[in-house]
Amino acid sequence: MELQLALDLVNIQEGIELVKQVEEYVDIVEIGTPVVINEGLRAVKEMKEAFPSLKVLADLKIMDAAGYEVMKASEAGADIITILGAAEDMSIKGAVEEAKKQGKKILVDMIAVKDLETRAKEVDAFGVDYICVHTGYDLQAVGKNSFEDLQTIKRVVKNAKTAVAGGIKLDTLPEVIKAQPDLVIVGGGITGHADIKGTAAQIQKLVKQG
Ligand SMILES: O=C([C@H](O)CO)[C@H](O)[C@H](O)COP(=O)(O)O
């Protein structure tokens, strides 16, 4: 099981300073969608240059022009790029094709997908690397989480790795781990904590114990 740190509410320099504190505890650093919107793919480039041994995920949440956007994120140094499960089949297939060409990986974010079971099976057949259930900020705000959805994709996904994101904290992590995802994504549960390093260490310990 791997741990991904999501950076969403920081600028590039703040992100780099944050990762300095926790780099020994995380496998993947996510340049979150708000950071890409604010700073562009420069954020991916600078993070990868600062931490060449960490994998960097560009959370582009691609919806269209997938091949081109995967190519640009790859050129910036991303190891993993996200596309939405709600995108056209052709877009997801295009993303996979370009990622393979570039030696990169595709994570499909299933946020807002209504028929999760059906779509997860379809997307799994396209050769994507990760399928991620995700409760975004707006649904977290009304008390939702992705724990049941994680069990659904664990049941139906046969090829891709499974991932889970959205409001995961130290106290809810054991429930997540019980479902055995391949990748756990934590943002505010680490970055919003008073003790960032200590929390990342505790979360990593639980994730690695599986
Ligand atoms: O993808 C995310 C969100 O849509 C904002 O871009 C977050 O990175 C993801 O939800 C993980 O962050 P937390 O919910 O703070 O753990």
Side-chain angles (χ1 to χ4, degrees):
M1 205 177 291
E2 289 192 297
L3 176 61
Q4 176 173 314
L5 171 71
L7 299 173
D8 285 295
L9 305 175
V10 290
N11 62 30
I12 298 175
Q13 203 43 48
E14 288 163 348
I16 287 174
E17 292 307 319
L18 223 145
V19 176
K20 276 186 195 159
Q21 295 185 59
V22 301
E23 70 173 296
E24 66 199 283
Y25 306 119
V26 303
D27 303 292
I28 303 170
V29 175
E30 169 188 330
I31 303 300
T33 317
V35 179
V36 177
I37 286 169
N38 290 332
E39 308 266 14
L41 286 171
R42 202 164 53 89
V44 172
K45 188 169 185 292
E46 292 188 20
M47 189 60 72
K48 190 67 187 177
E49 283 170 1
F51 304 97
S53 62
L54 286 179
K55 285 183 259 184
V56 173
L57 175 140
D59 190 17
L60 302 191
K61 295 189 176 75
I62 294 172
M63 193 59 176
D64 190 23
Y68 177 76
E69 292 180 4
V70 168
M71 180 182 77
K72 297 316 276 181
S74 301
E75 285 171 3
D79 300 286
I80 308 170
I81 301 113
T82 68
I83 185 166
L84 293 176
E88 300 288 354
D89 293 357
M90 201 182 280
S91 301
I92 299 177
K93 289 178 188 168
V96 170
E97 193 183 323
E98 184 61 28
K100 281 199 172 31
K101 222 187 280 173
Q102 303 277 351
K104 310 293 181 174
K105 299 210 179 303
I106 294 296
L107 180 147
V108 178
D109 186 335
M110 303 300 276
I111 190 168
V113 167
K114 298 291 178 221
D115 184 348
L116 180 64
E117 184 167 332
T118 303
R119 191 60 179 150
K121 283 183 194 163
E122 290 168 355
V123 161
D124 193 32
F126 299 156
V128 305
D129 300 285
Y130 298 87
I131 297 177
C132 180
V133 288
H134 179 196
T135 301
Y137 289 168
D138 298 343
L139 282 190
Q140 286 177 39
V142 293
K144 302 264 194 269
N145 65 50
S146 289
F147 304 161
E148 252 187 71
D149 288 346
L150 175 58
Q151 290 175 11
T152 303
I153 61 163
K154 281 296 293 185
R155 201 174 61 247
V156 300
V157 170
K158 302 294 176 211
N159 305 304
K161 292 183 173 174
T162 54
V164 56
I168 299 167
K169 309 258 181 299
L170 193 50
D171 61 335
T172 53
L173 187 60
E175 194 178 344
V176 171
I177 289 174
K178 239 190 267 165
Q180 292 287 295
D182 298 293
L183 175 63
V184 178
I185 301 170
V186 184
I190 293 175
T191 60
H193 207 281
D195 177 12
I196 289 176
K197 191 176 167 131
T199 307
Q202 287 184 68
I203 288 181
Q204 188 231 24
K205 194 170 167 214
L206 292 179
V207 164
K208 295 302 169 190
Q209 278 168 357

